[in-house]
Amino acid sequence: MRTVSATSAKQCLAALLDAAQREPVLIRRQNRDVAVIISAKEYERIRGINNSELKRIMDRVGAQAAARGLTKSVLKSLSPGNLVKGSKTPKSL
């Protein structure tokens, strides 16, 4: 990964954008990492991975909840509008 200073990034933005098409570019300011520039294609790839992983996690948690008896009606009874004020107990219990 290429590393440039924030000052250099500001002065050579066009070249930096070209370089980011080939590899991520790390920008440092006052000896700290402050940003990474990546290509739009790489960003979309990473974003797709995150969305897929989130869906897998949600599906797994949903299946576990269903296996333990969590239904839509039970979930609705746990919503804030159905709780006794100042309690975590549903009004129906």
Side-chain angles (χ1 to χ4, degrees):
M1 178 181 324
R2 182 175 169 189
T3 302
V4 298
S5 69
T7 302
S8 177
K10 205 174 0 176
Q11 293 170 347
C12 304
L13 182 59
L16 187 66
L17 294 174
D18 289 341
Q21 300 309 304
R22 295 182 296 279
E23 65 178 331
V25 179
L26 175 66
I27 299 175
R28 294 181 55 86
R29 183 185 324 152
Q30 298 177 350
N31 296 320
R32 293 181 303 119
D33 298 345
V34 294
V36 175
I37 297 180
I38 59 174
S39 68
K41 183 178 178 179
E42 180 68 2
Y43 171 76
E44 289 300 327
R45 185 188 72 77
I46 292 168
R47 195 169 146 213
I49 290 170
N50 290 340
N51 288 341
S52 298
E53 181 64 18
L54 177 59
K55 173 130 177 50
R56 279 194 298 275
I57 291 168
M58 289 172 32
D59 290 345
R60 186 181 74 235
V61 169
Q64 290 171 349
R68 293 181 176 138
L70 183 62
T71 63
K72 285 185 180 183
S73 62
V74 171
L75 189 58
K76 185 176 181 180
S77 75
L78 297 173
S79 68
N82 290 324
L83 296 178
V84 174
K85 190 170 186 167
S87 171
K88 293 183 179 178
T89 306
K91 290 178 183 175
S92 61
L93 295 180

